[in-house]
Amino acid sequence: MNSNRGIEENTSAIIDSFGVKDARDIEDDRLSFLQAVRVTSIVPENGTVPSSKMFEAIFQIMRNGTTLELIITSYQLLIELEKRYPRVYLSNSELVVDKEAWSPFSFGSEGAYSDRNSTNGDLDEPLNPNGFFLLAQVADTGFKLSGIKPLADMFLFQYLIRVLERDFLPRNSVYKESSEWSLLRESLLNTLMGSRRINYRNLFKDCLYILCKGSHAGFDIPDGESAVKSSTQASGGMVGPTILSEFGKRTVVAVQIFLTSILELVVSKKQADMKGETSRADGVRVPLMDIIVDELTYNKDLISPFLQVFSESQWKLDIILQYFEKYVPKQTSLQTRRSNNSPEVSKLDVVLKCFSNVASTRGIVKKINVEVAQLLLAHAFQAYTCEKADDSSLVQVCKDISAAFQNLRKIDEDMEMLQIAEEALFTVATILSTK
Protein backbone atom coordinates (compact mmCIF):
# COMPACT_ATOMS: atom_id res chain seq x y z
CA MET A 1 0.00 0.00 0.00
CA ASN A 2 3.04 2.28 0.20
CA SER A 3 2.69 3.45 -3.39
CA ASN A 4 -0.84 4.66 -2.61
CA ARG A 5 0.04 6.46 0.62
CA GLY A 6 0.70 9.82 -1.01
CA ILE A 7 -2.50 9.64 -3.04
CA GLU A 8 -4.53 8.73 0.04
CA GLU A 9 -3.09 11.61 2.06
CA ASN A 10 -4.36 14.06 -0.57
CA THR A 11 -7.73 12.41 -1.05
CA SER A 12 -9.66 14.53 1.43
CA ALA A 13 -8.18 17.75 0.08
CA ILE A 14 -9.17 16.77 -3.46
CA ILE A 15 -12.74 15.86 -2.54
CA ASP A 16 -13.35 18.76 -0.11
CA SER A 17 -12.13 21.51 -2.44
CA PHE A 18 -15.44 23.26 -3.05
CA GLY A 19 -15.25 26.96 -2.28
CA VAL A 20 -11.45 26.88 -2.38
CA LYS A 21 -10.83 26.54 -6.13
CA ASP A 22 -12.80 27.32 -9.24
CA ALA A 23 -14.71 24.57 -11.02
CA ARG A 24 -12.05 23.93 -13.68
CA ASP A 25 -9.30 23.50 -11.08
CA ILE A 26 -11.50 21.15 -9.06
CA GLU A 27 -12.22 19.05 -12.14
CA ASP A 28 -8.52 18.92 -13.04
CA ASP A 29 -7.60 17.85 -9.51
CA ARG A 30 -10.15 15.08 -9.52
CA LEU A 31 -9.16 13.82 -12.94
CA SER A 32 -5.53 13.81 -11.78
CA PHE A 33 -6.54 11.82 -8.70
CA LEU A 34 -8.39 9.25 -10.81
CA GLN A 35 -5.42 8.93 -13.13
CA ALA A 36 -3.05 8.51 -10.18
CA VAL A 37 -5.16 5.66 -8.82
CA ARG A 38 -5.19 4.02 -12.23
CA VAL A 39 -1.39 4.31 -12.54
CA THR A 40 -0.76 2.69 -9.15
CA SER A 41 -3.60 0.14 -9.06
CA ILE A 42 -4.50 -0.84 -12.63
CA VAL A 43 -1.52 -0.23 -14.92
CA PRO A 44 1.22 -2.17 -13.05
CA GLU A 45 1.16 -5.94 -13.18
CA ASN A 46 1.56 -5.95 -9.40
CA GLY A 47 -0.61 -2.96 -8.63
CA THR A 48 -1.70 -2.06 -5.12
CA VAL A 49 -5.28 -2.23 -3.87
CA PRO A 50 -6.74 1.24 -3.21
CA SER A 51 -7.67 1.91 0.40
CA SER A 52 -11.32 2.18 1.45
CA LYS A 53 -10.84 5.93 1.68
CA MET A 54 -9.70 6.06 -1.94
CA PHE A 55 -12.61 3.87 -3.07
CA GLU A 56 -14.99 6.21 -1.27
CA ALA A 57 -13.39 9.19 -3.02
CA ILE A 58 -13.82 7.66 -6.47
CA PHE A 59 -17.41 6.74 -5.59
CA GLN A 60 -18.13 10.31 -4.49
CA ILE A 61 -16.64 11.74 -7.68
CA MET A 62 -19.02 9.59 -9.72
CA ARG A 63 -22.03 10.48 -7.55
CA ASN A 64 -21.23 14.19 -7.47
CA GLY A 65 -19.93 14.39 -11.04
CA THR A 66 -20.34 17.85 -12.55
CA THR A 67 -19.05 16.87 -16.00
CA LEU A 68 -19.55 13.90 -18.26
CA GLU A 69 -15.82 13.21 -18.28
CA LEU A 70 -15.64 12.97 -14.48
CA ILE A 71 -18.67 10.68 -14.34
CA ILE A 72 -17.46 8.29 -17.02
CA THR A 73 -13.82 8.27 -15.90
CA SER A 74 -14.71 7.46 -12.30
CA TYR A 75 -17.27 4.88 -13.41
CA GLN A 76 -14.75 3.15 -15.65
CA LEU A 77 -12.14 3.14 -12.90
CA LEU A 78 -14.56 1.59 -10.41
CA ILE A 79 -15.49 -1.12 -12.91
CA GLU A 80 -11.83 -1.89 -13.63
CA LEU A 81 -11.06 -2.04 -9.92
CA GLU A 82 -13.98 -4.44 -9.46
CA LYS A 83 -12.42 -6.77 -12.03
CA ARG A 84 -8.86 -6.43 -10.73
CA TYR A 85 -9.64 -6.66 -7.01
CA PRO A 86 -12.95 -8.55 -6.64
CA ARG A 87 -14.59 -8.86 -3.26
CA VAL A 88 -15.93 -12.31 -4.14
CA TYR A 89 -14.42 -14.75 -6.63
CA LEU A 90 -13.76 -18.41 -7.37
CA SER A 91 -10.33 -19.94 -6.87
CA ASN A 92 -10.01 -23.60 -7.85
CA SER A 93 -13.80 -23.92 -7.53
CA GLU A 94 -13.63 -22.54 -3.98
CA LEU A 95 -15.46 -19.36 -3.02
CA VAL A 96 -13.20 -16.59 -1.73
CA VAL A 97 -14.80 -13.63 0.08
CA ASP A 98 -12.82 -10.57 1.14
CA LYS A 99 -14.93 -9.42 4.08
CA GLU A 100 -12.70 -6.39 4.67
CA ALA A 101 -13.14 -5.01 1.15
CA TRP A 102 -14.87 -1.66 0.65
CA SER A 103 -18.49 -1.80 -0.47
CA PRO A 104 -20.72 0.90 -1.99
CA PHE A 105 -23.65 -0.49 0.01
CA SER A 106 -24.55 0.12 3.63
CA PHE A 107 -26.74 -2.52 5.26
CA GLY A 108 -26.83 -1.21 8.80
CA SER A 109 -29.60 -1.68 11.31
CA GLU A 110 -33.00 -1.49 9.62
CA GLY A 111 -34.15 0.87 12.32
CA ALA A 112 -31.25 3.20 11.61
CA TYR A 113 -32.33 3.93 8.04
CA SER A 114 -33.83 7.31 7.44
CA ASP A 115 -36.23 8.18 4.64
CA ARG A 116 -33.97 10.86 3.25
CA ASN A 117 -32.95 10.68 -0.38
CA SER A 118 -29.70 8.75 -0.21
CA THR A 119 -28.91 9.66 -3.80
CA ASN A 120 -28.19 13.28 -2.93
CA GLY A 121 -24.72 14.34 -3.95
CA ASP A 122 -23.92 15.90 -0.56
CA LEU A 123 -24.23 12.57 1.21
CA ASP A 124 -20.87 10.87 1.65
CA GLU A 125 -21.95 7.52 3.03
CA PRO A 126 -22.54 4.40 0.90
CA LEU A 127 -26.02 3.69 -0.42
CA ASN A 128 -28.60 2.05 1.80
CA PRO A 129 -31.48 -0.05 0.38
CA ASN A 130 -33.81 2.95 0.29
CA GLY A 131 -31.23 4.85 -1.73
CA PHE A 132 -31.06 2.02 -4.26
CA PHE A 133 -34.85 2.03 -4.56
CA LEU A 134 -34.82 5.78 -5.17
CA LEU A 135 -32.13 5.38 -7.84
CA ALA A 136 -34.42 3.01 -9.74
CA GLN A 137 -37.07 5.73 -9.72
CA VAL A 138 -34.52 8.26 -11.01
CA ALA A 139 -33.40 5.86 -13.76
CA ASP A 140 -37.03 5.41 -14.79
CA THR A 141 -37.32 9.15 -15.48
CA GLY A 142 -33.74 9.57 -16.69
CA PHE A 143 -34.61 8.92 -20.34
CA LYS A 144 -36.40 12.25 -20.63
CA LEU A 145 -34.29 14.47 -18.37
CA SER A 146 -31.40 16.50 -19.78
CA GLY A 147 -29.15 17.32 -16.84
CA ILE A 148 -25.83 15.97 -15.65
CA LYS A 149 -27.34 14.72 -12.35
CA PRO A 150 -29.74 12.22 -13.94
CA LEU A 151 -26.84 10.88 -15.98
CA ALA A 152 -24.67 10.51 -12.87
CA ASP A 153 -27.54 8.67 -11.15
CA MET A 154 -27.95 6.32 -14.12
CA PHE A 155 -24.24 5.47 -14.03
CA LEU A 156 -24.42 5.02 -10.27
CA PHE A 157 -27.37 2.65 -10.69
CA GLN A 158 -25.47 0.68 -13.34
CA TYR A 159 -22.39 0.41 -11.15
CA LEU A 160 -24.35 -0.83 -8.14
CA ILE A 161 -26.03 -3.49 -10.26
CA ARG A 162 -22.60 -4.58 -11.51
CA VAL A 163 -21.44 -4.91 -7.89
CA LEU A 164 -24.52 -6.98 -7.03
CA GLU A 165 -23.97 -9.25 -10.03
CA ARG A 166 -20.25 -9.84 -9.41
CA ASP A 167 -21.01 -10.71 -5.79
CA PHE A 168 -23.94 -12.98 -6.66
CA LEU A 169 -22.70 -15.04 -9.63
CA PRO A 170 -19.77 -16.85 -7.96
CA ARG A 171 -21.87 -17.47 -4.84
CA ASN A 172 -24.71 -18.94 -6.89
CA SER A 173 -22.29 -21.05 -8.91
CA VAL A 174 -20.92 -22.65 -5.74
CA TYR A 175 -24.43 -22.97 -4.27
CA LYS A 176 -25.52 -25.07 -7.26
CA GLU A 177 -22.76 -27.53 -6.42
CA SER A 178 -22.86 -27.42 -2.61
CA SER A 179 -26.48 -26.42 -1.78
CA GLU A 180 -25.12 -24.31 1.11
CA TRP A 181 -27.73 -21.59 1.46
CA SER A 182 -25.50 -19.53 3.74
CA LEU A 183 -23.40 -18.64 0.69
CA LEU A 184 -26.39 -16.89 -0.87
CA ARG A 185 -27.90 -15.66 2.38
CA GLU A 186 -24.83 -13.44 2.82
CA SER A 187 -24.87 -12.13 -0.75
CA LEU A 188 -25.41 -8.43 -1.33
CA LEU A 189 -28.42 -9.20 -3.54
CA ASN A 190 -30.18 -11.34 -0.94
CA THR A 191 -29.40 -8.80 1.77
CA LEU A 192 -30.75 -5.96 -0.36
CA MET A 193 -33.89 -7.89 -1.25
CA GLY A 194 -34.38 -8.81 2.41
CA SER A 195 -34.53 -5.18 3.50
CA ARG A 196 -37.82 -3.92 4.89
CA ARG A 197 -37.00 -0.50 3.44
CA ILE A 198 -37.70 -1.57 -0.14
CA ASN A 199 -41.12 -1.68 -1.76
CA TYR A 200 -40.43 -4.67 -3.98
CA ARG A 201 -43.47 -4.34 -6.19
CA ASN A 202 -42.72 -0.71 -6.98
CA LEU A 203 -39.00 -1.41 -7.46
CA PHE A 204 -39.71 -4.20 -9.94
CA LYS A 205 -42.33 -2.10 -11.71
CA ASP A 206 -39.81 0.71 -12.11
CA CYS A 207 -37.34 -1.79 -13.58
CA LEU A 208 -39.98 -3.15 -15.93
CA TYR A 209 -40.83 0.34 -17.17
CA ILE A 210 -37.13 1.12 -17.68
CA LEU A 211 -36.88 -1.90 -19.95
CA CYS A 212 -39.99 -0.92 -21.89
CA LYS A 213 -38.84 2.66 -22.35
CA GLY A 214 -35.48 1.32 -23.47
CA SER A 215 -37.11 -0.19 -26.56
CA HIS A 216 -37.55 3.37 -27.84
CA ALA A 217 -34.13 4.69 -26.75
CA GLY A 218 -31.17 5.29 -29.05
CA PHE A 219 -29.08 2.15 -28.84
CA ASP A 220 -25.90 3.09 -30.71
CA ILE A 221 -23.77 3.44 -27.60
CA PRO A 222 -20.16 4.54 -27.93
CA ASP A 223 -17.69 2.69 -25.76
CA GLY A 224 -16.64 4.46 -22.60
CA GLU A 225 -13.31 5.72 -23.93
CA SER A 226 -14.70 7.25 -27.10
CA ALA A 227 -17.61 8.70 -25.14
CA VAL A 228 -15.16 10.52 -22.90
CA LYS A 229 -13.25 11.92 -25.87
CA SER A 230 -16.35 13.08 -27.70
CA SER A 231 -18.31 14.46 -24.77
CA THR A 232 -15.83 16.16 -22.44
CA GLN A 233 -17.30 19.58 -23.13
CA ALA A 234 -20.54 18.80 -21.28
CA SER A 235 -19.33 20.66 -18.20
CA GLY A 236 -22.10 23.19 -17.85
CA GLY A 237 -24.45 20.83 -16.04
CA MET A 238 -26.54 19.96 -19.11
CA VAL A 239 -26.43 16.93 -21.34
CA GLY A 240 -28.18 16.71 -24.69
CA PRO A 241 -31.07 14.26 -25.13
CA THR A 242 -29.09 12.25 -27.70
CA ILE A 243 -26.27 11.53 -25.25
CA LEU A 244 -28.74 10.71 -22.49
CA SER A 245 -30.67 8.41 -24.81
CA GLU A 246 -27.48 6.62 -25.81
CA PHE A 247 -26.43 6.00 -22.24
CA GLY A 248 -29.97 4.90 -21.45
CA LYS A 249 -29.07 1.66 -23.27
CA ARG A 250 -26.50 0.94 -20.59
CA THR A 251 -29.19 1.34 -17.95
CA VAL A 252 -31.49 -1.03 -19.84
CA VAL A 253 -28.78 -3.69 -20.01
CA ALA A 254 -28.02 -3.24 -16.31
CA VAL A 255 -31.68 -3.58 -15.35
CA GLN A 256 -31.96 -6.81 -17.33
CA ILE A 257 -28.92 -8.15 -15.43
CA PHE A 258 -30.53 -7.11 -12.16
CA LEU A 259 -33.85 -8.80 -12.90
CA THR A 260 -32.17 -11.95 -14.20
CA SER A 261 -30.05 -12.18 -11.06
CA ILE A 262 -33.16 -11.90 -8.91
CA LEU A 263 -34.93 -14.61 -10.93
CA GLU A 264 -31.90 -16.87 -10.42
CA LEU A 265 -31.85 -16.04 -6.71
CA VAL A 266 -35.52 -16.99 -6.42
CA VAL A 267 -34.84 -20.40 -8.01
CA SER A 268 -32.02 -21.09 -5.55
CA LYS A 269 -34.09 -19.82 -2.65
CA LYS A 270 -36.95 -22.15 -3.56
CA GLN A 271 -34.56 -25.07 -3.43
CA ALA A 272 -33.35 -23.94 -0.01
CA ASP A 273 -36.97 -23.43 1.10
CA MET A 274 -37.74 -27.07 0.37
CA LYS A 275 -34.94 -28.04 2.74
CA GLY A 276 -36.13 -25.67 5.45
CA GLU A 277 -32.93 -23.62 5.31
CA THR A 278 -34.43 -20.16 4.76
CA SER A 279 -36.18 -17.68 7.02
CA ARG A 280 -38.65 -14.84 6.52
CA ALA A 281 -35.74 -12.42 6.32
CA ASP A 282 -34.23 -14.14 3.30
CA GLY A 283 -34.41 -12.58 -0.13
CA VAL A 284 -37.39 -11.61 -2.24
CA ARG A 285 -40.72 -11.97 -0.49
CA VAL A 286 -42.77 -11.08 -3.59
CA PRO A 287 -42.11 -13.38 -6.60
CA LEU A 288 -40.62 -11.27 -9.37
CA MET A 289 -42.06 -13.35 -12.18
CA ASP A 290 -45.55 -12.96 -10.72
CA ILE A 291 -45.11 -9.18 -10.65
CA ILE A 292 -43.90 -9.08 -14.26
CA VAL A 293 -46.74 -11.27 -15.52
CA ASP A 294 -49.35 -9.33 -13.52
CA GLU A 295 -48.07 -6.01 -14.87
CA LEU A 296 -48.07 -7.29 -18.46
CA THR A 297 -51.58 -8.62 -17.94
CA TYR A 298 -52.78 -5.32 -16.50
CA ASN A 299 -51.14 -3.21 -19.22
CA LYS A 300 -50.98 -5.11 -22.50
CA ASP A 301 -49.23 -2.17 -24.17
CA LEU A 302 -46.10 -3.20 -22.26
CA ILE A 303 -45.93 -6.69 -23.76
CA SER A 304 -44.34 -5.78 -27.08
CA PRO A 305 -41.64 -3.39 -25.77
CA PHE A 306 -40.79 -5.70 -22.87
CA LEU A 307 -40.38 -8.81 -25.03
CA GLN A 308 -38.47 -6.77 -27.61
CA VAL A 309 -35.85 -5.66 -25.08
CA PHE A 310 -35.69 -8.58 -22.64
CA SER A 311 -33.19 -10.90 -24.30
CA GLU A 312 -32.66 -13.66 -21.73
CA SER A 313 -34.33 -16.37 -23.79
CA GLN A 314 -34.81 -18.93 -21.02
CA TRP A 315 -36.50 -16.46 -18.69
CA LYS A 316 -38.45 -14.86 -21.53
CA LEU A 317 -39.92 -18.27 -22.34
CA ASP A 318 -40.78 -18.86 -18.67
CA ILE A 319 -42.55 -15.49 -18.46
CA ILE A 320 -44.57 -16.13 -21.62
CA LEU A 321 -45.59 -19.58 -20.42
CA GLN A 322 -46.71 -18.20 -17.07
CA TYR A 323 -48.68 -15.50 -18.90
CA PHE A 324 -50.42 -18.15 -21.01
CA GLU A 325 -51.20 -20.14 -17.88
CA LYS A 326 -53.79 -17.50 -17.00
CA TYR A 327 -55.70 -18.19 -20.20
CA VAL A 328 -55.24 -21.81 -21.23
CA PRO A 329 -57.95 -24.31 -20.22
CA LYS A 330 -57.98 -24.86 -16.47
CA GLN A 331 -57.31 -28.57 -16.81
CA THR A 332 -53.98 -27.75 -18.49
CA SER A 333 -51.06 -27.69 -16.08
CA LEU A 334 -48.08 -25.46 -16.85
CA GLN A 335 -45.14 -25.47 -14.50
CA THR A 336 -42.95 -22.45 -15.19
CA ARG A 337 -40.28 -23.33 -12.66
CA ARG A 338 -37.23 -24.73 -14.39
CA SER A 339 -36.31 -28.32 -13.66
CA ASN A 340 -34.07 -30.94 -15.19
CA ASN A 341 -37.03 -33.30 -15.05
CA SER A 342 -39.37 -30.89 -16.82
CA PRO A 343 -37.74 -29.51 -19.97
CA GLU A 344 -39.08 -26.29 -21.47
CA VAL A 345 -40.10 -28.02 -24.70
CA SER A 346 -42.84 -29.98 -22.92
CA LYS A 347 -44.28 -26.78 -21.42
CA LEU A 348 -44.28 -24.98 -24.75
CA ASP A 349 -45.82 -28.04 -26.34
CA VAL A 350 -48.72 -27.86 -23.89
CA VAL A 351 -49.40 -24.25 -24.87
CA LEU A 352 -49.16 -24.96 -28.57
CA LYS A 353 -51.64 -27.83 -28.24
CA CYS A 354 -54.13 -25.25 -26.95
CA PHE A 355 -53.81 -23.52 -30.34
CA SER A 356 -54.09 -26.76 -32.33
CA ASN A 357 -57.77 -26.31 -33.19
CA VAL A 358 -60.02 -23.35 -33.90
CA ALA A 359 -62.30 -23.86 -30.88
CA SER A 360 -59.59 -23.74 -28.20
CA THR A 361 -57.77 -20.97 -30.06
CA ARG A 362 -60.93 -18.88 -30.10
CA GLY A 363 -61.35 -19.38 -26.35
CA ILE A 364 -57.88 -17.99 -25.66
CA VAL A 365 -58.17 -15.12 -28.15
CA LYS A 366 -61.40 -13.95 -26.52
CA LYS A 367 -59.33 -13.22 -23.42
CA ILE A 368 -56.11 -11.80 -24.83
CA ASN A 369 -56.93 -10.76 -28.48
CA VAL A 370 -55.20 -11.82 -31.70
CA GLU A 371 -52.35 -9.32 -31.58
CA VAL A 372 -51.23 -10.37 -28.09
CA ALA A 373 -51.48 -14.02 -29.08
CA GLN A 374 -49.22 -13.33 -32.09
CA LEU A 375 -46.67 -11.52 -29.95
CA LEU A 376 -46.51 -14.20 -27.30
CA LEU A 377 -46.35 -17.12 -29.72
CA ALA A 378 -43.70 -15.48 -31.91
CA HIS A 379 -41.49 -14.49 -28.99
CA ALA A 380 -41.95 -17.89 -27.36
CA PHE A 381 -40.78 -19.56 -30.58
CA GLN A 382 -37.86 -17.15 -30.86
CA ALA A 383 -36.82 -17.85 -27.26
CA TYR A 384 -37.25 -21.59 -27.76
CA THR A 385 -34.99 -21.70 -30.81
CA CYS A 386 -32.32 -19.81 -28.86
CA GLU A 387 -32.29 -22.66 -26.35
CA LYS A 388 -30.92 -25.11 -28.97
CA ALA A 389 -33.58 -27.76 -28.79
CA ASP A 390 -32.94 -31.14 -30.40
CA ASP A 391 -33.95 -31.53 -34.03
CA SER A 392 -36.94 -33.83 -33.50
CA SER A 393 -38.55 -31.50 -30.98
CA LEU A 394 -37.78 -28.44 -33.09
CA VAL A 395 -39.57 -29.85 -36.12
CA GLN A 396 -42.72 -30.58 -34.08
CA VAL A 397 -42.66 -27.13 -32.51
CA CYS A 398 -42.33 -25.57 -35.96
CA LYS A 399 -45.38 -27.49 -37.17
CA ASP A 400 -47.38 -26.50 -34.08
CA ILE A 401 -46.42 -22.81 -34.42
CA SER A 402 -47.49 -22.84 -38.06
CA ALA A 403 -50.82 -24.45 -37.13
CA ALA A 404 -51.36 -21.90 -34.36
CA PHE A 405 -51.00 -18.97 -36.74
CA GLN A 406 -53.27 -20.67 -39.28
CA ASN A 407 -55.98 -20.99 -36.61
CA LEU A 408 -55.53 -17.36 -35.62
CA ARG A 409 -56.08 -16.44 -39.27
CA LYS A 410 -59.23 -18.57 -39.45
CA ILE A 411 -60.65 -16.72 -36.45
CA ASP A 412 -59.75 -13.29 -37.81
CA GLU A 413 -59.50 -13.28 -41.60
CA ASP A 414 -58.49 -9.61 -41.52
CA MET A 415 -55.70 -10.26 -39.03
CA GLU A 416 -52.70 -8.03 -39.68
CA MET A 417 -49.57 -10.12 -39.36
CA LEU A 418 -47.02 -8.51 -37.02
CA GLN A 419 -43.41 -8.33 -38.13
CA ILE A 420 -42.20 -10.57 -35.31
CA ALA A 421 -44.83 -13.15 -36.33
CA GLU A 422 -43.77 -12.96 -39.98
CA GLU A 423 -40.15 -13.50 -38.92
CA ALA A 424 -41.17 -16.50 -36.85
CA LEU A 425 -43.08 -18.07 -39.74
CA PHE A 426 -40.16 -17.42 -42.10
CA THR A 427 -37.88 -19.26 -39.66
CA VAL A 428 -40.40 -22.07 -39.41
CA ALA A 429 -40.54 -22.44 -43.20
CA THR A 430 -36.74 -22.39 -43.44
CA ILE A 431 -36.31 -25.09 -40.78
CA LEU A 432 -39.03 -27.36 -42.21
CA SER A 433 -37.63 -27.04 -45.73
CA THR A 434 -34.33 -28.50 -44.57
CA LYS A 435 -35.81 -31.49 -42.75
Side-chain angles (χ1 to χ4, degrees):
M1 186 65 68
N2 290 338
S3 60
N4 278 338
R5 186 172 300 163
I7 303 174
E8 183 174 5
E9 289 175 352
N10 293 324
T11 298
S12 297
I14 292 170
I15 299 303
D16 300 328
S17 55
F18 288 109
V20 179
K21 299 181 178 181
D22 63 36
R24 185 66 240 183
D25 288 338
I26 293 172
E27 181 183 356
D28 289 343
D29 284 348
R30 295 184 175 190
L31 287 171
S32 296
F33 166 72
L34 296 174
Q35 180 60 25
V37 175
R38 178 182 297 278
V39 168
T40 59
S41 301
I42 299 296
V43 176
E45 183 176 348
N46 296 316
T48 54
V49 186
S51 66
S52 293
K53 186 175 182 181
M54 293 164 66
F55 266 111
E56 290 169 4
I58 302 168
F59 189 61
Q60 283 188 49
I61 290 173
M62 181 175 64
R63 293 179 70 181
N64 302 335
T66 54
T67 69
L68 191 56
E69 185 174 14
L70 274 176
I71 295 170
I72 296 177
T73 304
S74 54
Y75 170 83
Q76 284 185 314
L77 182 57
L78 285 171
I79 294 298
E80 290 181 64
L81 290 171
E82 284 286 329
K83 294 180 180 178
R84 185 71 176 272
Y85 309 106
R87 301 173 187 82
V88 181
Y89 60 94
L90 295 177
S91 178
N92 297 322
S93 300
E94 294 291 327
L95 189 70
V96 179
V97 180
D98 182 358
K99 295 185 177 181
E100 301 301 319
W102 174 83
S103 171
F105 287 101
S106 173
F107 297 124
S109 169
E110 288 285 305
Y113 294 148
S114 69
D115 291 326
R116 66 180 183 241
N117 187 337
S118 298
T119 66
N120 285 347
D122 59 349
L123 295 178
D124 296 336
E125 70 268 18
L127 266 288
N128 63 33
N130 187 57
F132 183 84
F133 171 59
L134 293 169
L135 274 174
Q137 294 179 320
V138 171
D140 184 22
T141 59
F143 290 99
K144 58 185 178 181
L145 300 178
S146 59
I148 278 285
K149 186 61 171 70
L151 188 64
D153 286 340
M154 290 172 80
F155 268 86
L156 176 58
F157 190 52
Q158 294 167 36
Y159 169 67
L160 294 174
I161 289 175
R162 180 69 68 91
V163 170
L164 291 170
E165 179 196 27
R166 292 182 70 85
D167 176 83
F168 172 73
L169 289 181
R171 291 176 183 272
N172 200 43
S173 176
V174 175
Y175 172 76
K176 290 177 180 179
E177 297 295 329
S178 66
S179 297
E180 294 181 27
W181 172 245
S182 61
L183 299 176
L184 285 177
R185 173 183 285 123
E186 298 172 358
S187 69
L188 294 176
L189 186 63
N190 184 68
T191 306
L192 178 68
M193 292 297 99
S195 172
R196 298 190 300 272
R197 303 300 298 179
I198 289 183
N199 184 317
Y200 300 98
R201 186 170 291 275
N202 287 343
L203 171 62
F204 296 152
K205 282 184 179 180
D206 286 337
C207 290
L208 180 61
Y209 278 85
I210 289 171
L211 289 179
C212 293
K213 290 176 182 178
S215 68
H216 304 295
F219 277 9
D220 295 328
I221 311 302
D223 59 57
E225 184 176 350
S226 62
V228 171
K229 292 178 180 177
S230 63
S231 308
T232 55
Q233 301 304 314
S235 58
M238 297 299 292
V239 177
T242 301
I243 294 176
L244 201 59
S245 177
E246 288 176 344
F247 286 101
K249 167 64 182 304
R250 296 179 182 272
T251 303
V252 169
V253 172
V255 167
Q256 182 168 245
I257 290 172
F258 178 58
L259 294 182
T260 301
S261 296
I262 293 174
L263 290 168
E264 293 286 354
L265 174 62
V266 170
V267 169
S268 295
K269 181 174 180 289
K270 283 182 178 179
Q271 295 173 354
D273 281 340
M274 295 174 65
K275 299 177 182 179
E277 297 174 350
T278 63
S279 68
R280 290 176 58 85
D282 280 325
V284 183
R285 296 186 293 275
V286 181
L288 171 56
M289 190 174 292
D290 289 355
I291 293 175
I292 293 176
V293 172
D294 287 348
E295 198 64 23
L296 296 180
T297 303
Y298 175 76
N299 187 350
K300 289 182 170 57
D301 290 338
L302 297 178
I303 296 176
S304 180
F306 172 75
L307 294 178
Q308 177 184 338
V309 172
F310 194 73
S311 60
E312 293 290 335
S313 58
Q314 182 63 71
W315 287 115
K316 179 190 285 191
L317 186 55
D318 282 354
I319 290 167
I320 293 172
L321 292 173
Q322 184 159 322
Y323 188 101
F324 270 128
E325 189 172 14
K326 291 174 172 285
Y327 303 106
V328 298
K330 295 302 180 182
Q331 65 270 22
T332 303
S333 175
L334 287 176
Q335 296 179 350
T336 55
R337 179 177 160 211
R338 289 189 287 179
S339 168
N340 292 332
N341 297 322
S342 181
E344 299 302 332
V345 60
S346 65
K347 302 174 193 177
L348 178 59
D349 183 63
V350 171
V351 170
L352 292 178
K353 292 303 180 187
C354 295
F355 286 89
S356 62
N357 61 74
V358 173
S360 59
T361 300
R362 180 177 284 109
I364 297 174
V365 168
K366 282 182 180 180
K367 303 172 183 176
I368 64 175
N369 77 49
V370 170
E371 182 174 321
V372 171
Q374 283 191 71
L375 280 170
L376 295 173
L377 287 171
H379 278 283
F381 177 71
Q382 183 187 71
Y384 171 79
T385 56
C386 289
E387 288 301 300
K388 300 180 180 179
D390 62 87
D391 289 346
S392 59
S393 297
L394 181 57
V395 169
Q396 186 59 51
V397 167
C398 286
K399 292 178 179 178
D400 290 343
I401 283 286
S402 180
F405 279 108
Q406 289 176 16
N407 286 325
L408 288 175
R409 177 72 74 182
K410 291 176 183 178
I411 292 172
D412 184 357
E413 295 181 356
D414 298 323
M415 180 182 79
E416 181 179 348
M417 188 69 71
L418 301 176
Q419 182 178 348
I420 182 69
E422 291 179 345
E423 293 172 354
L425 288 176
F426 178 79
T427 302
V428 165
T430 302
I431 292 173
L432 293 179
S433 67
T434 62
K435 302 301 179 183

